[in-house]
Amino acid sequence: MSTKYDLGEPELKWGGDGADIAPRSLKFDDIYFSGDGRAETEHVFLNGNALPARFAQADSFSVGELGFGSGLNFLVTWHSWRKAKRLGARLAYLSIENYPLSTEEMTRAHAAWPEFAELSAIMREKLPPRHPGLHAVSLTDDVTLNLYYGDVDSALGQIEAKIDAWFLDGFSPAKNPAMWTPAVMEKIAKLSVPGATAATFTVAGDVRRGLKSAGFSVQKAQGFGRKRHMTVARIKNPPATYSDHPWFRPPQEELPHSATVAIIGAGVAGACLGAELTRAGYRPTLFDDAIGGGASGNPAAIIMPRLDLGDTPAARFYVSAYLNAVRFYTDLNATSDNSVFFPYAVRQPARDDNERNKFERLAAAKALPADWMRLDDDGLFFPQTGIVYPKAALSALIANIPIVGEKVERLRRRDKDWVMTTPMGDHQFDAVVIANAADALRLFASRTLPLSRTMGQIDHFPDAPAPDHIIASGPYLAPAPNGGAIIGATYHNSAGEAPETTPKATAENIANVAHWQSLKGFSSQPRASFRCVTPDRHPVIGPIPDWAAYGIVYDGLRTGARKDYPAAPYQPGLFVVTGLGSRGFVTAPLAARMIAANLTGAPSPVDRDVAELVHPGRFFIRDLKRSVSIAD
Ligand code: SAM
């Protein structure tokens, strides 16, 4: 079994006051920044990339950094962004770090710059847990920090971004060669926009040659302090190469903030999209005849992780979605009177020896950070999770979003617009996100997605004693946010038109949790709803292919023909989030961020492998690869 990747320890040695304030890495025998760290960052990285001036011109800007270290470069950049930025503009800061500092170490490193105290506090409060992989953090409405914890080379292979300016800030090339290899330079070239710049403190010949052979034009500039020179670089024509899978390449067009965006479906997927697209600078409109009409209308939603053995795209997706969801609802609570998220621990007892064995391996592989999961006598224990109250969450998320209270019956392309037909009439939009679970099959553009429905029933016992934590191992027992206990969920395949509750399902639910709590004698308020699922049980999140063109340009896949396939053709401005199954409240916040990144061109919050795992075209491509060419 491949285990999770272990991050390294930074191994710091602290200097004294004044000029020696910077921490030193014992591992690399080098300092994180010079004594006057702020001035150095301003000179080398900001001015080296002409940044304050470019910030003032941009509606959105993406910085890429190699070596997050203490986060000082980031704070200096954020500070400068605040002064220079245009109204409504967005900054995305993406940084890679294999030896993350703790928040305490960062506090100490930032102490010399009281002018950054506020920004440093916001950043430290939201700093992701020390867990390998990509963590996308919204710091404020206009600033996102994407921190990739992992080795620079493999991280760059997974990142999907279009970077405007690079900060190359590894330790000195002689001591930290892995940060400066030709392969690293090639990867940053591929992640650059045309005209992207790079700056670094070093003028080492190997680094300059690496940048040149990756396509950058390279110049010497005046160095900082005692250093005579530094390097600045610019790339006019970044290499177009994407990856081995052009059929999953995301659309390259960005949607301007003035564009009109519709979201079809006001369940948790649509509500998260509404909030996230608003944060990204759009003014979306929601369409649905009910809010939380489907499974999103249940009286409680448990936030707990799905954990997979091995470092697979699925394992990464569900862990990332889970960590992101806890952060998302915690933040939402702060602006909604704590009515949305109720922190509780979750206990997951092992059902048998096989599962016990799996749990032991998950714990040994550190599937989650130590303070997020531990192995107990009876199974796994997750101390930092909880319950969402769906009604409050949906109201908070869509509070400021216009809603058309009707179902969309038809969606079609007319000239450059999407036209949606509801009983009230036609509505025109530049872009549309389909987020209406299995009802996506009613719309021509998404009707070929292999979606199906299962019916689930939960039972709420408002008068029963509330358990003091959540227990979940298949069936679950949980405290309900508005009082009592909630248990669930049964699953039945359903061809029926409307979900229906049955006394039989209630009895089944009660029996399933009887060894944890007796609910005999309490009356139940059952609720049944559909969950939308896919054949591989992963959601569908991303841009919708132009199915006809997709079939034509990738026809060679039937015979395994190796050639330069073009980038994926998409239906312009059309996206989908569906198939969230019973994990909608866990995955919808991350799904919404993925779509926002598709629309804005901001760095993706997930790995390429993860975006491919949930890509709407994956079933089509699999079928093509499996089918036999009719020409043969
Ligand atoms: N920009 C940082 C700041 O503002 O404090 C300073 C960065 S420090 C000079 C270099 C950083 O590169 C260190 O934090 C180090 O842990 C990181 N690093 C070294 N080798 C790495 C590798 N192979 N992959 C990812 N990060 C690495």
Side-chain angles (χ1 to χ4, degrees):
M1 183 191 76
S2 75
T3 51
K4 312 272 174 208
Y5 178 79
D6 252 337
L7 295 167
E9 286 297 331
E11 299 173 36
L12 302 185
K13 177 172 178 284
W14 293 89
D17 292 338
D20 280 342
I21 186 78
R24 171 173 283 275
S25 159
L26 292 175
K27 184 175 170 59
F28 291 99
D29 186 26
D30 200 357
I31 45 170
Y32 279 73
F33 43 80
S34 78
D36 195 352
R38 174 180 177 177
E40 181 183 26
T41 298
E42 284 173 344
H43 179 85
V44 177
F45 296 111
L46 295 198
N47 297 338
N49 282 296
L51 276 198
R54 286 165 76 194
F55 283 165
Q57 306 288 318
D59 281 333
S60 62
F61 200 90
S62 296
V63 173
E65 179 186 49
L66 308 190
F68 189 66
S70 71
L72 180 64
N73 281 351
F74 170 63
L75 295 181
V76 178
T77 307
W78 188 4
H79 187 77
S80 154
W81 167 259
R82 275 198 163 180
K83 286 208 238 158
K85 69 159 193 162
R86 282 154 69 138
L87 193 69
R90 302 287 189 276
L91 173 69
Y93 195 97
L94 168 82
S95 191
I96 302 174
E97 178 56 60
N98 199 29
Y99 310 89
L101 270 64
S102 67
T103 49
E104 293 73 26
E105 288 164 336
M106 286 190 179
T107 309
R108 188 163 172 188
H110 300 163
W113 294 280
E115 67 271 34
F116 300 144
E118 180 204 346
L119 301 186
S120 165
I122 300 176
M123 181 192 90
R124 283 180 282 118
E125 202 269 311
K126 299 208 172 175
L127 204 69
R130 208 173 186 285
H131 190 72
L134 179 55
H135 304 266
V137 185
S138 291
L139 291 174
T140 53
D141 277 352
D142 65 324
V143 178
T144 314
L145 174 62
N146 278 15
L147 260 181
Y148 206 117
Y149 288 156
D151 178 67
V152 65
D153 193 67
S154 55
L156 286 171
Q158 283 296 336
I159 283 169
E160 178 64 52
K162 288 181 268 181
I163 298 297
D164 296 292
W166 290 98
F167 298 180
L168 308 183
D169 198 19
F171 290 120
S172 78
K175 296 175 170 170
N176 189 192
M179 289 287 261
W180 309 94
T181 63
V184 164
M185 300 307 154
E186 259 172 47
K187 285 178 179 155
I188 68 166
K190 284 183 190 169
L191 294 173
S192 296
V193 296
T197 56
T200 178
F201 59 86
T202 180
V203 282
D206 283 350
V207 173
R208 296 162 60 80
R209 279 188 289 278
L211 280 166
K212 264 188 209 149
S213 72
F216 284 89
S217 57
V218 179
Q219 282 186 329
K220 274 189 186 159
Q222 197 197 335
F224 177 76
R226 275 171 297 171
K227 286 204 175 91
R228 272 239 324 257
H229 291 118
M230 55 174 265
T231 299
V232 293
R234 187 165 185 279
I235 188 158
K236 215 160 138 193
N237 299 309
T241 340
Y242 168 62
S243 75
D244 303 338
H245 303 144
W247 36 90
F248 294 140
R249 183 183 192 181
Q252 297 300 296
E253 307 74 42
E254 291 168 20
L255 197 71
H257 284 155
S258 55
T260 52
V261 186
I263 300 163
I264 304 179
V268 66
C272 288
L273 279 161
E276 203 56 57
L277 298 187
T278 304
R279 197 213 301 265
Y282 301 102
R283 293 189 45 71
T285 304
L286 266 171
F287 283 75
D288 207 336
D289 61 352
I291 295 177
S296 307
N298 278 345
I302 297 172
I303 304 303
M304 70 178 288
R306 166 184 150 164
L307 299 174
D308 293 13
L309 287 166
D311 185 17
T312 61
R316 275 181 267 145
F317 172 66
Y318 291 105
V319 166
S320 166
Y322 167 68
L323 295 174
N324 181 67
V326 174
R327 179 82 251 169
F328 178 83
Y329 295 116
T330 305
D331 288 352
L332 191 61
N333 242 4
T335 52
S336 1
D337 296 331
N338 293 325
S339 62
V340 167
F341 187 54
F342 298 82
Y344 284 101
V346 176
R347 192 155 69 77
Q348 186 176 8
R351 283 172 286 194
D352 52 34
D353 286 350
N354 267 348
E355 198 165 60
R356 171 82 205 170
N357 181 271
K358 180 182 173 190
F359 288 177
E360 281 168 6
R361 291 162 72 198
L362 285 169
K366 299 185 192 139
L368 280 179
D371 49 342
W372 286 75
M373 176 180 87
R374 62 172 190 262
L375 186 68
D376 279 352
D377 287 345
D378 71 338
L380 292 174
F381 188 78
F382 307 99
Q384 300 204 38
T385 187
I387 295 219
V388 168
Y389 185 28
K391 204 171 161 189
L394 264 50
S395 323
L397 290 169
I398 61 179
N400 299 313
I401 296 174
I403 298 181
V404 177
E406 300 195 309
K407 268 214 185 316
V408 175
E409 291 164 345
R410 205 171 153 215
L411 171 67
R412 64 189 194 283
R413 187 86 180 148
R414 193 171 60 203
D415 302 327
K416 285 188 165 332
D417 293 315
W418 286 104
V419 181
M420 305 197 305
T421 308
T422 67
M424 221 157 67
D426 282 354
H427 313 256
Q428 258 170 255
F429 285 86
D430 296 315
V432 175
V433 190
I434 299 174
N436 57 353
D439 277 349
L441 298 178
R442 294 178 195 273
L443 304 172
F444 185 75
S446 49
R447 67 186 292 180
T448 53
L449 290 172
L451 305 174
S452 59
R453 302 196 295 195
T454 59
M455 199 178 71
Q457 177 174 323
I458 55 101
D459 285 90
H460 177 205
F461 298 81
D463 306 320
D468 62 7
H469 63 277
I470 303 159
I471 315 176
S473 66
Y476 64 81
L477 164 72
N482 51 354
I486 182 157
I487 62 174
T490 56
Y491 285 97
H492 297 284
N493 283 332
S494 170
E497 269 307 295
E500 273 176 16
T501 62
T502 63
K504 189 167 161 260
T506 299
E508 201 181 307
N509 275 334
I510 291 177
N512 282 339
V513 302
H515 51 300
W516 297 326
Q517 181 171 333
S518 166
L519 291 159
K520 270 202 192 117
F522 293 103
S523 69
S524 155
Q525 294 176 356
R527 187 171 189 280
S529 55
F530 286 131
R531 278 127 175 113
C532 175
V533 294
T534 63
D536 61 14
R537 294 295 181 263
H538 301 307
V540 179
I541 305 166
I544 304 189
D546 173 339
W547 301 111
Y550 220 54
I552 293 166
V553 297
Y554 300 131
D555 194 60
L557 293 178
R558 291 173 193 275
T559 52
R562 285 178 172 269
K563 53 180 177 176
D564 266 345
Y565 289 101
Y570 291 105
Q571 306 189 55
L574 193 64
F575 301 84
V576 63
V577 176
T578 184
L580 304 187
S582 54
R583 293 175 197 281
F585 276 85
V586 178
T587 52
L590 185 60
R593 301 189 73 159
M594 291 169 67
I595 300 293
N598 280 159
L599 259 55
T600 57
S604 168
V606 296
D607 282 358
R608 278 187 174 167
D609 282 356
V610 170
E612 296 186 3
L613 175 85
V614 297
H615 192 279
R618 69 186 186 273
F619 308 105
F620 192 106
I621 294 293
R622 265 175 227 172
D623 287 350
L624 260 188
K625 287 182 175 172
R626 281 184 200 144
S627 64
V628 182
S629 170
I630 32 173
D632 285 346

